[in-house]
Amino acid sequence: MSNIDIENEEIDLLEPELEDGETLSPHDVKFWKTTYETNKETGKARLKSITINKLKLLKVFFLLGFRRLDIDDQSTFIRIENNRVIKRITINQVIDTFFEYLDEKDFWFDDEKSLNLDMIKEKFITSPGSYFKEDKLYRLNLFTKEKIEFNTDTLNEKFLYYKNGFVRITKAGVEFNDYSKLEKYIWESEVLTRNFTFTKYENSYVGQFVNKICQSEAADVGDRIKALKILMGYYMHSFTDCKLMALMLTDSKISEENEANGRTGKSLFCKILGYMLSRNPEKLDVKTFIDISGKNFDPKEKHRYQDVGYETKIVVLNDLKKYFDVDCIYNDVTEGVTVERKNMSPYRVKPKIILTTNKTVKIEGDSSKDRFLEFEFSDYFSKKRTPEMEFKHWFFRDWDADQWAQFDNYMISCVQDYFVADCKLMEPEHINLNARKLKENTAVVFLDFMSDLKIQFNQWYNKAELFSAFIRRYPDYDNQKFKQMHFTGWVKLYTKYMPEFEEFKKERDEKRSDDVIEMMFRKASNVEDEIM
């Protein structure tokens, strides 16, 4: 039976009738019309023209999984793969996928074979702008009323996505489920490129690493490990409708020359979190985990977060410059970041932020103190003893399936620790953070001066006389750049960071009589009246 209707000069575009339970596939939709003319001498039909029905073509794109996604007044093209997995795509990817579909399709043509696949391809190649322009693809959602909703972590739940299924973590336990039980969509970048299995994790490499970076003779190691595991659970938990905080990672040891040593494992720690939230956090095209160079980070530059995507969960500002002011990113921590890209309208994302530095950072004011937690890495690792030397392999790159499974289960235990703690973070015990801050923000000679002063508590000291005594002892500081206010500032830092002292309060610990200003030192609890 001929598919060509000579009299009507076109092929019917009706879609096939479906049985109950059947769904329409892109191969069921005929998006072209052919017009024929009759050869007067032979009486045979000859192809005259091919017309593309743009609505039918758009339906093919829809059935291939393409959609328009609207987020915060921004429209982007996506493709739904494997039922619930969404991938962000470009128009070129729409075109490539469509031509792959043409090659796969078993087309039905007229019985004279006068129409073939190359003719249809030629039609699209000749004028692609007629079929693949944004204004046409923006109408993809004509064929559905479904609102795309993403599966997200909730107050009491954490989800992790693997090749073979997804994990749901709560305070009560851990469940592994098939994707058929997932009711909402997820980003492709969230699906980890490995399978999940339950296993013991006591000897996991990441657990050993955490134990070593928490080592300390000055603080309770068990409490430090507990606090850090809870923090790791916090960063893996992508729920942000809560009190958001930023973690400042720094070193515990500093050289005599006041230069930070570094290489203590801070970057590896951040990668450990990234490998739980992203397919490959070291690839620039993955937006779930973003690492931004702190050395080049300018908080006033409007494109500073241009690499952040809608699906970004963690932003790391790595290796911050000396004297970085955390107050300038306070709103970024608490309210989210504004992303500005060239030729795009700004949009807001609410990731959790980590900062790393080899130097201490000044965190002043009650608001900042309430939003920034500092954690010191022990000096176990250094350039002379790297994690690669210690563990005899590269993390992630050299792991087999069992080592990945131990890693996953250890990290899941961190999320459970976070839930068991009722989602409340612990202030990690410090090793010598205050001593480092004092040393980095004053001078060694000043510390010697204060130590030799043998301060008496609850007695008044003349500020000018203290300053004069200091510059007499260290004449290099008798210059126009170093003034009374600098010295007084150092004294206040001394009371703040030395454990024997109660922090200086101007309204309580300073008095003025004529031109004489005096200050008083108060002791902290459980110390003797005199510092020896």
Side-chain angles (χ1 to χ4, degrees):
M1 179 177 177
S2 173
N3 290 326
I4 306 173
D5 187 333
I6 300 296
E7 183 177 351
N8 293 324
E9 295 188 332
E10 65 178 28
I11 293 181
D12 193 357
L13 288 169
L14 292 176
E15 295 167 2
E17 293 185 5
L18 301 175
E19 300 292 336
D20 290 341
E22 288 186 323
T23 57
L24 194 67
S25 81
H27 300 286
D28 296 325
V29 180
K30 195 169 186 180
F31 54 82
W32 71 91
K33 297 178 183 179
T34 51
T35 303
Y36 290 84
E37 60 185 5
T38 304
N39 188 307
K40 295 180 180 180
E41 296 181 358
T42 63
K44 292 183 178 182
R46 182 175 63 187
L47 180 65
K48 180 179 180 181
S49 65
I50 303 171
T51 303
I52 304 300
N53 184 299
K54 293 176 181 175
L55 184 62
K56 293 287 184 178
L57 177 64
L58 198 63
K59 189 159 191 177
V60 171
F61 295 157
F62 176 84
L63 294 172
L64 286 171
F66 296 112
R67 302 286 190 277
R68 186 194 77 221
L69 179 65
D70 300 322
I71 306 177
D72 295 337
D73 299 325
Q74 296 282 334
S75 293
T76 187
F77 297 119
I78 61 171
R79 189 181 186 192
I80 300 173
E81 300 177 343
N82 301 324
N83 296 322
R84 291 296 172 185
V85 179
I86 284 180
K87 179 180 180 180
R88 197 184 301 272
I89 52 93
T90 64
I91 290 180
N92 281 334
Q93 289 172 306
V94 175
I95 297 172
D96 292 343
T97 302
F98 176 70
F99 275 90
E100 290 172 4
Y101 147 81
L102 290 180
D103 288 330
E104 294 171 359
K105 179 173 173 55
D106 183 17
F107 282 101
W108 64 98
F109 297 124
D110 60 280
D111 57 355
E112 297 294 329
K113 305 293 185 183
S114 57
L115 176 65
N116 58 51
L117 187 57
D118 285 343
M119 292 179 181
I120 292 182
K121 288 183 177 180
E122 178 70 20
K123 184 76 174 177
F124 289 102
I125 291 173
T126 302
S127 54
S130 299
Y131 311 107
F132 302 104
K133 289 182 68 175
E134 281 189 353
D135 58 347
K136 293 181 176 61
L137 294 176
Y138 277 150
R139 306 282 76 79
L140 277 165
N141 294 3
L142 286 172
F143 303 102
T144 182
K145 294 183 179 179
E146 179 191 21
K147 182 180 179 181
I148 292 177
E149 295 183 354
F150 287 93
N151 196 65
T152 59
D153 295 350
T154 66
L155 177 62
N156 301 307
E157 299 174 294
K158 166 67 192 172
F159 296 91
L160 291 169
Y161 310 101
Y162 294 85
K163 288 171 62 177
N164 59 334
F166 69 97
V167 175
R168 176 177 174 266
I169 310 166
T170 64
K171 186 177 182 178
V174 181
E175 303 171 0
F176 180 71
N177 298 288
D178 184 81
Y179 276 115
S180 61
K181 295 184 179 180
L182 191 64
E183 297 179 355
K184 297 180 181 180
Y185 293 96
I186 59 176
W187 289 105
E188 180 194 46
S189 59
E190 295 180 279
V191 182
L192 304 173
T193 55
R194 56 187 183 269
N195 292 327
F196 176 79
T197 56
F198 286 104
T199 189
K200 295 181 179 180
Y201 56 83
E202 285 74 13
N203 295 320
S204 67
Y205 288 126
V206 67
Q208 295 178 52
F209 172 78
V210 168
N211 292 347
K212 293 181 187 302
I213 63 176
C214 288
Q215 286 187 5
S216 170
E217 295 181 358
D220 187 304
V221 176
D223 284 347
R224 279 171 56 80
I225 293 173
K226 180 180 179 181
L228 189 58
K229 287 193 67 181
I230 290 173
L231 277 164
M232 293 165 73
Y234 164 77
Y235 275 99
M236 285 187 286
H237 187 220
S238 301
F239 183 76
T240 57
D241 189 15
C242 59
K243 179 181 177 180
L244 295 177
M245 302 188 72
L247 177 62
M248 175 73 71
L249 303 178
T250 187
D251 300 330
S252 62
K253 183 179 180 180
I254 194 165
S255 69
E256 291 300 320
E257 291 76 23
N258 209 33
E259 290 296 329
N261 294 311
R263 303 295 296 274
T264 54
K266 299 186 295 296
S267 294
L268 177 57
F269 175 83
C270 295
K271 285 182 181 179
I272 285 170
L273 295 173
Y275 270 95
M276 287 302 298
L277 297 175
S278 183
R279 297 168 67 89
N280 187 343
E282 298 184 69
K283 283 190 176 180
L284 297 178
D285 59 339
V286 177
K287 301 295 184 183
T288 309
F289 175 91
I290 298 294
D291 189 314
I292 299 174
S293 172
K295 291 181 178 179
N296 302 320
F297 182 79
D298 182 357
K300 296 181 181 179
E301 210 283 311
K302 67 177 182 178
H303 299 302
R304 62 191 182 279
Y305 293 117
Q306 63 180 348
D307 292 332
V308 175
Y310 287 109
E311 61 270 39
T312 299
K313 301 295 188 294
I314 295 178
V315 170
V316 178
L317 301 182
N318 208 344
D319 197 12
L320 291 172
K321 294 177 289 188
K322 188 177 181 180
Y323 303 126
F324 183 82
D325 183 5
V326 298
D327 287 341
C328 67
I329 62 166
Y330 179 86
N331 288 337
D332 296 345
V333 172
T334 60
E335 306 298 330
V337 304
T338 299
V339 182
E340 293 194 41
R341 297 179 181 173
K342 293 180 180 179
N343 304 319
M344 287 184 63
S345 299
Y347 58 90
R348 290 190 67 79
V349 183
K350 210 171 183 182
K352 294 179 179 179
I353 295 177
I354 298 176
L355 307 98
T356 79
T357 177
N358 292 337
K359 308 291 287 184
T360 60
V361 171
K362 189 176 181 181
I363 300 176
E364 300 292 344
D366 292 338
S367 295
S368 292
K369 291 177 182 177
D370 194 45
R371 293 290 185 165
F372 292 88
L373 285 179
E374 296 174 278
F375 181 82
E376 293 172 280
F377 276 54
S378 75
D379 61 354
Y380 186 89
F381 293 112
S382 67
K383 63 181 179 180
K384 294 182 179 180
R385 181 168 54 186
T386 66
E388 294 78 30
M389 297 174 186
E390 176 75 11
F391 298 107
K392 305 296 189 297
H393 74 278
W394 281 78
F395 269 43
F396 317 118
R397 187 195 69 183
D398 297 336
W399 286 355
D400 58 26
D402 183 58
Q403 289 160 345
W404 275 110
Q406 291 182 46
F407 168 69
D408 290 329
N409 282 267
Y410 179 90
M411 298 300 284
I412 287 171
S413 77
C414 294
V415 178
Q416 276 212 289
D417 288 349
Y418 175 63
F419 286 143
V420 170
D422 295 325
C423 301
K424 295 178 181 177
L425 303 182
M426 290 176 58
E427 177 78 34
E429 284 195 36
H430 302 315
I431 300 175
N432 61 353
L433 182 64
N434 287 342
R436 289 183 62 232
K437 286 190 173 185
L438 187 56
K439 186 175 181 180
E440 290 177 14
N441 289 282
T442 60
V444 173
V445 293
F446 169 77
L447 300 180
D448 291 340
F449 174 80
M450 294 299 290
S451 178
D452 294 342
L453 193 59
K454 293 184 173 54
I455 292 171
Q456 298 293 317
F457 292 113
N458 301 320
Q459 293 188 18
W460 291 102
Y461 286 82
N462 186 301
K463 289 173 61 174
E465 290 179 358
L466 282 178
F467 176 58
S468 296
F470 177 74
I471 60 176
R472 281 198 306 270
R473 181 170 174 176
Y474 303 104
D476 287 348
Y477 284 87
D478 188 6
N479 58 65
Q480 291 299 314
K481 293 183 179 180
F482 189 76
K483 298 181 181 296
Q484 172 78 62
M485 66 176 185
H486 295 111
F487 177 80
T488 302
W490 284 5
V491 172
K492 292 179 180 179
L493 287 176
Y494 192 81
T495 66
K496 178 178 180 179
Y497 293 126
M498 289 297 285
E500 298 90 345
F501 290 83
E502 187 176 313
E503 187 173 354
F504 181 87
K505 303 293 183 184
K506 183 174 181 179
E507 65 278 3
R508 181 193 67 185
D509 299 326
E510 186 174 290
K511 70 177 182 177
R512 180 188 294 269
S513 177
D514 296 326
D515 292 331
V516 177
I517 303 175
E518 295 180 300
M519 64 192 310
M520 179 184 290
F521 298 94
R522 299 178 186 269
K523 68 175 180 178
S525 59
N526 301 319
V527 298
E528 298 298 328
D529 286 345
E530 183 175 343
I531 300 176
M532 302 302 293

